[in-house]
């Protein structure tokens, strides 16, 4: 009898452990929203979201985060334009063009690429990409374009890993059928296998968008961080994430609440992206 | 046509891995010459910008994080794979929760840790606040790898164990767990790598003090990890060479961690 009660006790422990993840997500939502939403309500949702002036030290201060929203959107679009084609094509290479021996070397490299700390990427971009951009386009070299290149590199492992998995999951009969009809290997891959894997590839892009929009410490080193509406591809910009880090250390009262409210907006962006990702994944599973 | 396609695909792969190689080579070449003994002095001063205190802090933080996150993550995996029945509502919710958690940017974790652990629970910038925040962050990773490892264990093993009269717990701990161990370990190691590379989530929970924390909570418990140390150095812009050197140490740690994790997961697939 004793063994029996021990069994059910441990089952309870396992179940409680499983609840921790749920509890964590509830706590995170609660504290972020409770910290930011009252400020948004007081300041006005439209003024906050669409205000083009971020001047916390003015009197009266203005807290419009449209510049940061646009900044995040621009660098993310830039990262997607650069990272997605290269990522998908690299995944195609790994899945369909690469011999086994080389694959055994390249696959761990990909994991390594995902494991390199973002601060190392950021520092690399600061010391290599920024000077190059400065020489070619003038200015400080810290700009939307620089941040986009950096983020484009950083989302590669995410996109490649998932696209490759979905390419591998395409049934072999597709390939055989196409080749039997006389198509070359390349043609088959490009016009049969890639379209067949499109929902997985789309998922990888969505995940990449989430990574790019949430990245902080690397972007902070190369984006320039000016809190004003984006002025051009080669001008500095500030994103939502960097806005929080840059000012949190010294912010107080309403200014601090405004920063937490920035995190609320970021969080909602991420929840939407996550939701899209999950819907796509569930639909694929069915 | 097909030649051009092949070229573009090969070129993209070359670009991806070329960039990776270039980053690693560049950091190593620029950093290794500056790995001076003064960078490893026990006490940090603004002259020697020693990284040893932050290395020790990193190790302490990792240990504490894993002590919290590993049992919870592994037990969750047990529940999801070994206990829950198909179509269980709780499983679905746990899965949505972990998927959402893994998508949240680290800065949001950092803010949450600050608002909850540092301020609401009154931990101040401390080792414990940092470790708990990091534990929530790596939880999905450990749950996922445990799940995958458990699922890869052949059902006949479980059935044989039950058939011999062993209970569920005994089967899990003595039969299933040993077989799934490499997979679980590789997840734990990946979690370690994630903590090593983390900055944004720790900045407002662990703080950025340059000494080794001498307590778990409250005053004196703040510190900085190696990655945070590198951020502080590179954003000041005064110690570029030392930043490279710090980058080298970080890269070497990440290389070791990745190698170990790859080795272990190969072992799992071989054992099947």
């Amino acid at each position: 009898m004793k063994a029996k009660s021990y069994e059910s006790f441990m089952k309870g422990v396992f179940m409680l452990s499983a609840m921790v993840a749920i509890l964590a997500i509830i706590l995170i939502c609660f504290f972020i929203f409770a910290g930011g939403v009252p400020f948004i309500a007081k300041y006005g949702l439209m003024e906050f979201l669409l205000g083009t002036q971020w001047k916390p030290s003015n009197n009266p201060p203005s807290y419009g985060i449209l510049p940061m929203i646009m900044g995040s959107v621009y660098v993310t679009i830039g990262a997607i334009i650069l990272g997605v084609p290269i990522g998908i094509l690299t995944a195609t290479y790994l899945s369909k063009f690469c011999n086994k021996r080389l694959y055994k070397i390249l696959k761990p490299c990909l994991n390594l690429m995902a494991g390199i700390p973002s601060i190392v990427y950021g520092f690399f971009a600061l010391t290599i990409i920024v000077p190059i951009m400065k020489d070619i386009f003038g200015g400080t070299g810290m700009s939307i374009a620089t941040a986009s290149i950096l983020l484009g590199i950083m989302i590669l492992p995410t996109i490649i890993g998932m696209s490759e998995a979905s390419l591998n999951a395409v049934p072999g009969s597709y390939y055989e059928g196409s080749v039997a009809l006389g198509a070359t290997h390349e043609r088959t891959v490009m016009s049969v296998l890639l379209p067949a894997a499109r929902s997985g590839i789309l998922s990888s892009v969505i995940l990449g968008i989430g990574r790019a929009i949430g990245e902080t410490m690397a972007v902070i080193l190369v984006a320039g961080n000016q809190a004003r509406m984006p002025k051009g591809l080669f001008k500095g910009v500030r994103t939502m994430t960097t806005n929080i880090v840059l000012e949190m250390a010294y912010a107080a009262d309403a200014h601090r609440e405004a920063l937490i409210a920035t995190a609320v907006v970021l969080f909602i962006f991420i929840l939407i992206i996550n939701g899209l990702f999950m819907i796509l994944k569930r639909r694929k599973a069915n | 046509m097909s030649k051009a396609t092949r070229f573009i695909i090969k070129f993209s792969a070359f670009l991806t891995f070329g960039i990776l190689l270039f980053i690693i080579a560049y950091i190593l070449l620029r950093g290794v010459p500056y790995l001076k003994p003064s960078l490893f002095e026990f006490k940090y001063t603004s002259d020697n910008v020693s990284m040893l205190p932050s290395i020790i802090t990193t190790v302490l933080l990792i240990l504490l994080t894993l002590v919290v996150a590993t049992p919870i993550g592994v037990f969750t995996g047990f529940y999801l794979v070994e206990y829950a029945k198909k179509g269980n509502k709780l499983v679905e919710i746990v899965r949505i929760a972990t998927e959402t958690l893994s998508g949240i940017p680290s800065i949001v974790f950092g803010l949450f840790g600050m608002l909850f652990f540092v301020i609401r629970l009154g931990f101040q910038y401390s080792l414990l606040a940092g470790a708990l925040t990091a534990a929530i962050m790596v939880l999905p990773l450990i749950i996922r790898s445990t799940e995958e490892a458990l699922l890869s264990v052949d059902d006949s093993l479980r059935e044989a164990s039950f058939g011999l009269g062993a209970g569920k717990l005994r089967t899990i701990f003595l039969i299933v767990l040993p077989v799934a161990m490499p997979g679980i370990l590789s997840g734990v190691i990946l979690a370690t790598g994630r903590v090593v590379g983390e900055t944004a989530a720790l900045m407002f929970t662990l703080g950025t003090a340059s000494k080794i924390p001498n307590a778990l909570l409250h005053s004196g418990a703040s510190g900085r990890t190696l990655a945070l140390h590198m951020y502080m150095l590179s954003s000041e812009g005064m110690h570029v060479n030392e930043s490279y050197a710090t980058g080298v140490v970080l890269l070497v740690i990440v290389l070791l961690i990745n190698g170990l994790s790859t080795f272990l997961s190969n072992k799992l697939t071989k054992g099947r």
Side-chain angles (χ1 to χ4, degrees):
Chain A
M1 218 49 228
K2 210 174 164 202
K4 192 98 186 184
S5 67
Y6 187 61
E7 288 265 345
S8 54
F9 169 74
M10 283 312 279
K11 185 181 174 185
V13 171
F14 296 157
M15 201 160 155
L16 276 181
S17 301
M19 307 276 209
V20 171
I22 304 173
L23 180 72
I25 202 85
I26 293 173
L27 278 176
I28 291 173
C29 288
F30 176 78
F31 274 89
I32 297 288
F33 284 110
V37 171
F39 173 84
I40 299 177
K42 204 168 62 195
Y43 189 76
L45 179 64
M46 283 304 138
E47 284 82 8
F48 183 64
L49 285 182
L50 301 178
T52 55
Q53 299 285 326
W54 175 268
K55 299 228 158 71
S57 47
N58 271 16
N59 195 13
S62 60
Y63 300 109
I65 61 162
L66 191 63
M68 275 64 92
I69 296 179
M70 296 314 287
S72 284
V73 170
Y74 283 144
V75 296
T76 303
I77 292 175
I80 294 303
I81 291 174
L82 294 172
V84 166
I86 297 178
I88 294 175
L89 289 171
T90 304
T92 314
Y93 177 77
L94 286 178
S95 172
K96 303 292 167 201
F97 288 87
C98 173
N99 65 44
K100 267 213 176 96
R101 241 196 356 229
L102 194 57
Y103 183 82
K104 271 204 174 130
I105 304 169
L106 293 183
K107 186 70 186 173
C109 281
L110 206 60
N111 294 336
L112 175 65
M113 202 171 182
I116 293 180
S118 53
I119 180 69
V120 173
Y121 279 112
F123 186 66
F124 167 79
L126 178 69
T127 51
I128 283 277
I129 304 178
V130 168
I132 293 174
M133 297 301 271
K134 191 170 161 184
D135 284 346
I136 302 178
F137 301 106
T140 58
M142 298 183 181
S143 64
I144 295 180
T146 316
S148 299
I149 294 173
L150 168 64
L151 285 173
I153 296 174
M154 289 180 72
I155 62 173
L156 279 176
T158 309
I159 294 185
I160 296 171
M162 209 159 180
S163 300
E164 193 214 334
S166 62
L167 271 172
N168 287 339
V170 175
S173 56
Y174 283 43
Y175 180 83
E176 285 150 21
S178 169
V179 172
L181 287 172
T184 59
H185 178 69
E186 288 79 7
R187 177 120 195 238
T188 304
V189 170
M190 296 310 274
S191 33
V192 177
L193 300 185
L194 276 176
R198 66 179 177 275
S199 78
I201 293 174
L202 192 59
S203 300
S204 81
V205 174
I206 293 174
L207 215 58
I209 292 175
R211 288 266 180 286
I213 212 165
E215 181 49 52
T216 318
M217 304 316 261
V219 175
I220 211 169
L221 292 175
V222 301
N225 302 325
Q226 294 91 336
R228 48 137 209 251
M229 289 301 281
K231 286 202 168 138
L233 197 50
F234 302 105
K235 295 275 167 23
V237 76
R238 183 186 285 195
T239 65
M240 289 187 275
T241 51
T242 53
N243 192 37
I244 301 166
V245 172
L246 284 165
E247 299 185 358
M248 202 65 201
Y250 63 87
D253 306 326
H255 183 192
R256 219 181 72 138
E257 284 167 31
L259 293 177
I260 300 170
T262 312
V264 170
V265 177
L266 173 69
F267 197 33
I268 291 173
F269 267 80
I270 291 292
L271 287 179
I272 294 172
I273 291 166
N274 263 341
L276 275 179
F277 176 71
M278 275 184 234
I279 291 170
L280 212 64
K281 205 168 140 190
R282 297 276 183 288
R283 201 201 288 163
K284 207 174 75 179
N286 288 339
Chain B
M1 187 55 207
S2 67
K3 252 194 184 144
T5 315
R6 185 175 279 262
F7 173 76
I8 293 171
I9 289 174
K10 281 195 170 161
F11 181 71
S12 297
F14 175 76
L15 206 61
T16 302
F17 294 106
I19 289 170
L20 173 69
L21 213 65
F22 182 66
I23 293 177
I24 294 173
Y26 181 77
I27 300 274
L28 289 182
L29 285 177
R30 289 291 307 262
V32 170
Y34 295 99
L35 281 172
K36 291 172 298 199
S38 74
L39 276 177
F40 297 97
E41 268 167 36
F42 195 66
K43 238 181 151 46
Y44 170 97
T45 62
S46 49
D47 281 329
N48 69 10
V49 291
S50 165
M51 64 172 108
L52 190 62
S54 51
I55 292 178
I56 296 172
T57 309
T58 310
V59 173
L60 290 175
L61 184 81
I62 289 170
L63 289 178
L64 205 55
T65 305
L66 292 182
V67 164
V68 177
T70 312
I72 298 177
V74 172
F75 286 173
T76 305
F78 284 169
Y79 182 75
L80 294 178
V81 177
E82 306 288 336
Y83 284 90
K85 298 189 176 62
K86 263 219 159 82
N88 185 327
K89 270 264 157 18
L90 183 66
V91 173
E92 192 60 20
I93 301 174
V94 171
R95 207 145 274 159
I96 290 176
T98 46
E99 270 175 36
T100 311
L101 271 184
S102 64
I104 293 178
S106 49
I107 179 68
V108 174
F109 281 111
L111 269 191
F112 161 73
M114 184 189 86
L115 292 170
F116 184 57
F117 298 121
V118 175
I119 296 173
R120 178 58 67 87
L121 298 183
F123 288 0
Q124 301 180 358
Y125 285 165
S126 61
L127 207 51
L128 191 63
L132 290 177
T133 309
I136 298 176
M137 248 178 71
V138 299
L139 196 57
L141 214 91
I142 297 181
I143 294 176
R144 249 210 98 77
S145 53
T146 307
E147 260 190 285
E148 274 168 16
L150 291 177
L151 284 172
S152 77
V153 177
D154 208 323
D155 259 342
S156 62
L157 283 177
R158 294 186 183 90
E159 282 152 18
S161 168
F162 291 144
L164 288 171
K168 190 138 198 168
L169 268 185
R170 216 186 157 91
T171 306
I172 292 176
F173 279 105
L174 294 181
I175 307 294
V176 179
L177 190 60
V179 182
M181 204 46 139
I184 297 176
L185 272 182
S186 104
V188 171
I189 290 164
L190 278 185
T192 309
R194 184 93 196 267
V195 179
V196 168
E198 190 45 56
T199 22
L202 297 174
M203 204 167 174
F204 301 117
T205 51
L206 176 65
T208 50
S210 54
K211 53 170 193 43
I212 304 166
N214 53 21
L216 272 184
L217 313 169
H218 306 311
S219 63
S222 173
R224 54 165 81 152
T225 61
L226 195 57
L228 260 175
H229 180 67
M230 185 172 172
Y231 170 72
M232 300 305 281
L233 285 185
S234 49
S235 64
E236 282 161 12
M238 306 269 288
H239 300 282
V240 176
N241 295 332
E242 286 81 358
S243 301
Y244 279 117
T246 314
V248 169
V249 178
L250 262 179
L251 261 186
V252 170
I253 295 174
V254 170
L255 273 170
L256 287 176
I257 286 174
N258 264 281
L260 201 58
S261 149
T262 310
F263 170 75
L264 282 170
S265 53
N266 282 346
K267 211 168 154 186
L268 182 74
T269 35
K270 228 177 253 163
R272 229 187 296 178

